[in-house]
Amino acid sequence: MKKIINQPEHVVDEMLQGLVFMHGQLVERLDGYDVIVRKAPKRGKVGLISGGGSGHEPSHAGFVGRGMLSAAVCGAVFTSPTPDQILEAIKAADEGAGVFMVIKNYSGDIMNFEMAQEMAEMEGIEVASVVVDDDIAVENSLYTQGRRGVAGTILVHKILGHAAETGKSLAEIKELADALVPQIKTIGLALSGATVPEVGKPGFVLEEDEFEYGVGIHGEPGYKKEKLQPSQALAEELVAKLLQDFNAQAGEKYGLLINGLGATPLMEQYVFANDVAQLLKDKEIEVVYHKIGNYMTSIDMAGLSLTLIKLEETSWLEGLEAAVETPAW
Amino acid sequence: MKKIINQPEHVVDEMLQGLVFMHGQLVERLDGYDVIVRKAPKRGKVGLISGGGSGHEPSHAGFVGRGMLSAAVCGAVFTSPTPDQILEAIKAADEGAGVFMVIKNYSGDIMNFEMAQEMAEMEGIEVASVVVDDDIAVENSLYTQGRRGVAGTILVHKILGHAAETGKSLAEIKELADALVPQIKTIGLALSGATVPEVGKPGFVLEEDEFEYGVGIHGEPGYKKEKLQPSQALAEELVAKLLQDFNAQAGEKYGLLINGLGATPLMEQYVFANDVAQLLKDKEIEVVYHKIGNYMTSIDMAGLSLTLIKLEETSWLEGLEAAVETPAW
């Protein structure tokens, strides 16, 4: 294992210290917890939290700040955060108008966020939530009932963050979230496995000329291994799967997120973007929002994911475009 | 070679098409050229251009936009752009008040930018420039007389971009640049080599447990290979070299840039940042500006660089902090 770290068991703690050092104007760490909270003063709006296992940086702590998350809970690498940590995030995010939780669809995350919700409600904090299950690659998976939650989650953070910032109520945010999540779909591919520091070797190994469609952000198996193909062929497969799942029609408006998984340079992401652009144009899909970069990574995995969001409401696009103050949006 | 590309010889062209598709609100491509220009209307200010070989994305095209570059010239991968391409960038950047060129210190870049300057001057455009040589790792190198220009270049873009945006004259920007460049110093390390698509294999190979201090962003040799060490030890070496080169004194104010080289995840960059923070605190160096992420990459090289800028003028910090509209700042 070749990594710039100290002791593997201290990676999350030291990473969070580093994050707070680098972005200290925007965020701080809750004393004694693996929770990153925004510094902006409270003003009675709905609190918005998310989190999950670490290893997906900048998700989720990089999206804490004005206009997005109030707090992010950072579990051990690829491991759900514990209920006591989530409870502290809820309490820190609470401004008196309730707290909304964005949960990626993994069984451990759901169990622990729901347990924290019960504990918070006993302390008199109103809590609601949504489960993001945007990964259309496979139904059910290693740690998941149904579809996995992946890169599309950051679009949920962004649109709900804008809703909370502009004073929407907890009930309104819940309604928005329930309408939004089914309109966000993602599919990815991996060229290599990710190495969890405490494990010391990749979670899976692909041959030198092989890649895999549909791998999860924790290295969960995908749906097909093939010999490496040109970017155009990869884009064709991923775009076709997404448009089919949406039952997309010519003339519809979408937002597009191309997400690097950690070790794939922007050079390749842009080449892939060019192929995606051509395919969407051919299908007369109108792309009205674009975002590219490493946002929901899988440590040092090479590969990328493609997310489409069907923009059914004008306010969703406004939410995506609104200015924010966060470490990583 | 495992890359998400089509034909290697089309990588730069397709990448630029993808970039323009993803950031079409901010930038466009000059018809028939590998030049990315900002879309903002001209208003008589100094034009600011930069560029160099491709493979360092988001540098430099990702820094085109309001508040930073007027245009970026994108050469073939790791290859200086040609004078005719640079000339077009100068002409596109010209708003009538002259054009300033930020050149990284590589012999081919300097020769071609200077040739383009002569051609532009014959067309009546006033041109001035600065050569950035921030890499303190080695004196002279494969493609360089003196020190190489690396990640610190983006801080030059940012501060000069702000100066141009706020109406400074070409002579004032030249004076600012000449004062600024000696106060920016960088040093890096690599865990792996970069693979140029048209070459198909890494430019150099390190053993499984080996890394190299001071490697250049084109894979130029560094100054020392060692067995992999903890992040703390790496930070100690790099911080000590920088502070020595600055002859830094307790109480001085610096800005800090931690730059990933392409394949090193944020997780490791933050762990390293935490170690750097402790070392600078011990030396009573005050860090008043922080930036972290992949900004001056070397395709898919694993590793990072550390840049310090000594903030001698308050206006330099203002320049770093000013809002911009670019794809990647």
Side-chain angles (χ1 to χ4, degrees):
Chain A
M1 174 177 58
K2 225 174 192 183
K3 285 185 188 291
I4 300 170
I5 58 172
N6 297 299
Q7 288 161 281
E9 61 271 31
H10 295 161
V11 160
V12 172
D13 181 61
E14 294 179 3
M15 171 177 79
L16 295 182
Q17 290 304 109
L19 185 140
V20 166
F21 170 67
M22 295 304 288
H23 310 291
Q25 288 184 313
L26 300 170
V27 301
E28 58 194 355
R29 182 175 180 176
L30 274 192
D31 258 359
Y33 293 93
D34 294 341
V35 175
I36 300 296
V37 299
R38 70 161 89 176
K39 271 189 159 172
K42 297 188 174 188
R43 49 189 185 77
K45 67 170 199 61
V46 169
L48 184 67
I49 74 160
S50 191
S54 290
H56 308 302
E57 295 70 30
S59 290
H60 299 270
F63 304 119
V64 173
R66 192 183 62 78
M68 289 190 77
L69 302 178
S70 310
V73 202
C74 310
V77 178
F78 289 2
T79 303
S80 299
T82 54
D84 62 311
Q85 299 267 345
I86 301 168
L87 175 63
E88 291 304 314
I90 294 172
K91 286 157 70 173
D94 180 34
E95 304 188 18
V99 173
F100 193 83
M101 311 190 300
V102 179
I103 310 168
K104 297 198 302 303
N105 189 32
Y106 299 100
S107 306
D109 284 22
I110 293 174
M111 188 173 71
N112 291 358
F113 272 87
E114 287 183 349
M115 205 175 297
Q117 172 171 0
E118 284 175 27
M119 292 153 73
E121 285 169 347
M122 286 194 290
E123 296 193 25
I125 302 174
E126 200 181 351
V127 179
S129 69
V130 73
V131 174
V132 182
D133 56 352
D134 57 317
D135 189 347
I136 68 165
V138 296
E139 302 295 328
N140 305 321
S141 189
L142 276 184
Y143 318 109
T144 314
Q145 295 297 313
R147 290 173 168 185
R148 300 172 301 220
V150 292
T153 309
I154 72 161
L155 305 179
V156 179
H157 295 345
K158 186 67 178 65
I159 294 172
L160 297 189
H162 182 63
E165 211 68 37
T166 54
K168 293 281 187 290
S169 71
L170 190 62
E172 288 170 321
I173 289 174
K174 172 65 178 159
E175 192 182 349
L176 170 58
D178 288 344
L180 189 58
V181 166
Q183 303 305 331
I184 301 178
K185 298 176 194 289
T186 300
I187 187 165
L189 60 88
L191 305 189
S192 75
T195 298
V196 174
E198 291 200 60
V199 175
K201 58 189 176 68
F204 63 92
V205 176
L206 293 167
E207 300 296 323
E208 192 45 51
D209 61 347
E210 190 185 46
F211 75 102
E212 185 169 354
Y213 283 116
V215 170
I217 57 172
H218 311 95
E220 301 97 320
Y223 64 87
K224 188 165 60 173
K225 286 184 193 174
E226 288 192 350
K227 297 285 174 197
L228 194 57
Q229 295 171 20
S231 170
Q232 277 172 351
L234 307 179
E236 268 173 32
E237 167 87 7
L238 300 189
V239 167
K241 288 263 185 197
L242 285 175
L243 295 186
Q244 184 180 25
D245 209 273
F246 272 115
N247 188 24
Q249 307 297 318
E252 288 177 346
K253 287 185 169 57
Y254 287 80
L256 167 67
L257 167 65
I258 292 174
N259 171 62
L261 291 175
T264 289
L266 266 179
M267 170 188 278
E268 297 175 40
Q269 296 180 41
Y270 280 128
V271 167
F272 179 78
N274 181 49
D275 294 321
V276 169
Q278 195 54 56
L279 292 162
L280 293 177
K281 192 179 167 200
D282 291 347
K283 297 285 184 189
E284 296 177 48
I285 297 297
E286 195 180 344
V287 181
V288 294
Y289 180 81
H290 310 72
K291 196 162 180 72
I292 190 166
N294 299 348
Y295 296 104
M296 179 71 73
T297 60
S298 181
I299 315 179
D300 51 0
M301 188 182 286
L304 52 73
S305 67
L306 178 66
T307 301
L308 286 175
I309 171 173
K310 188 174 175 189
L311 291 165
E312 298 215 315
E313 305 283 343
T314 316
S315 63
W316 297 3
L317 180 57
E318 286 169 16
L320 289 174
E321 289 180 338
V324 295
E325 290 170 13
T326 69
W329 177 255
Chain B
M1 173 177 56
K2 227 175 190 181
K3 284 185 188 292
I4 300 171
I5 58 171
N6 298 298
Q7 288 161 280
E9 61 272 30
H10 295 160
V11 158
V12 172
D13 181 63
E14 295 180 2
M15 173 176 79
L16 295 182
Q17 289 305 110
L19 184 141
V20 166
F21 170 67
M22 295 305 287
H23 310 291
Q25 289 184 312
L26 300 171
V27 300
E28 59 195 356
R29 182 174 179 175
L30 274 192
D31 259 358
Y33 293 93
D34 294 341
V35 175
I36 300 295
V37 299
R38 69 161 88 177
K39 271 188 159 174
K42 297 189 174 188
R43 50 188 184 73
K45 66 169 199 62
V46 170
L48 185 66
I49 73 161
S50 191
S54 290
H56 309 301
E57 295 69 32
S59 291
H60 300 270
F63 304 119
V64 173
R66 194 185 61 78
M68 290 188 76
L69 300 179
S70 310
V73 202
C74 310
V77 178
F78 289 1
T79 303
S80 298
T82 54
D84 62 309
Q85 299 267 346
I86 301 167
L87 175 63
E88 291 304 314
I90 293 172
K91 286 158 68 173
D94 179 35
E95 305 187 17
V99 173
F100 194 83
M101 312 190 298
V102 179
I103 309 167
K104 297 197 302 301
N105 188 31
Y106 299 100
S107 305
D109 285 21
I110 292 174
M111 188 174 68
N112 291 357
F113 273 86
E114 286 183 351
M115 205 175 298
Q117 171 171 0
E118 284 174 29
M119 293 152 73
E121 284 169 347
M122 285 193 291
E123 298 193 25
I125 302 173
E126 199 182 353
V127 179
S129 68
V130 73
V131 174
V132 183
D133 57 352
D134 56 316
D135 189 345
I136 68 165
V138 295
E139 301 296 329
N140 305 320
S141 188
L142 276 184
Y143 317 111
T144 314
Q145 296 296 316
R147 291 173 167 185
R148 300 173 300 221
V150 291
T153 309
I154 72 160
L155 305 180
V156 179
H157 295 346
K158 186 67 176 65
I159 293 171
L160 297 189
H162 182 65
E165 211 66 38
T166 53
K168 293 281 187 289
S169 72
L170 190 62
E172 288 169 322
I173 290 174
K174 172 66 178 158
E175 192 182 350
L176 170 59
D178 287 343
L180 190 58
V181 165
Q183 303 304 331
I184 300 177
K185 296 175 195 287
T186 299
I187 187 166
L189 59 89
L191 306 188
S192 75
T195 298
V196 174
E198 291 199 59
V199 175
K201 59 188 176 64
F204 63 92
V205 175
L206 294 166
E207 300 297 322
E208 191 47 51
D209 61 349
E210 189 185 47
F211 75 102
E212 184 169 353
Y213 283 116
V215 171
I217 57 172
H218 311 96
E220 301 96 321
Y223 63 88
K224 186 166 61 172
K225 286 185 193 176
E226 289 194 348
K227 297 286 175 196
L228 195 55
Q229 295 170 19
S231 169
Q232 278 171 353
L234 306 179
E236 266 171 36
E237 167 86 7
L238 299 190
V239 168
K241 288 264 186 196
L242 285 175
L243 295 186
Q244 183 181 22
D245 209 272
F246 272 113
N247 188 22
Q249 306 298 319
E252 289 176 346
K253 288 185 168 57
Y254 287 80
L256 167 68
L257 167 65
I258 292 175
N259 172 62
L261 291 176
T264 288
L266 266 180
M267 171 188 277
E268 296 174 43
Q269 295 180 41
Y270 280 128
V271 166
F272 179 77
N274 181 51
D275 294 322
V276 169
Q278 194 55 55
L279 292 162
L280 293 177
K281 193 179 165 197
D282 291 349
K283 296 285 185 190
E284 296 178 51
I285 298 296
E286 196 180 345
V287 182
V288 295
Y289 181 80
H290 309 72
K291 195 162 182 72
I292 189 166
N294 299 348
Y295 296 105
M296 180 69 73
T297 61
S298 181
I299 315 180
D300 52 359
M301 187 183 285
L304 51 73
S305 68
L306 177 67
T307 301
L308 285 176
I309 171 173
K310 187 173 174 189
L311 291 165
E312 298 216 315
E313 304 284 342
T314 316
S315 64
W316 297 5
L317 180 57
E318 286 169 17
L320 289 173
E321 290 180 336
V324 295
E325 289 171 14
T326 69
W329 176 253

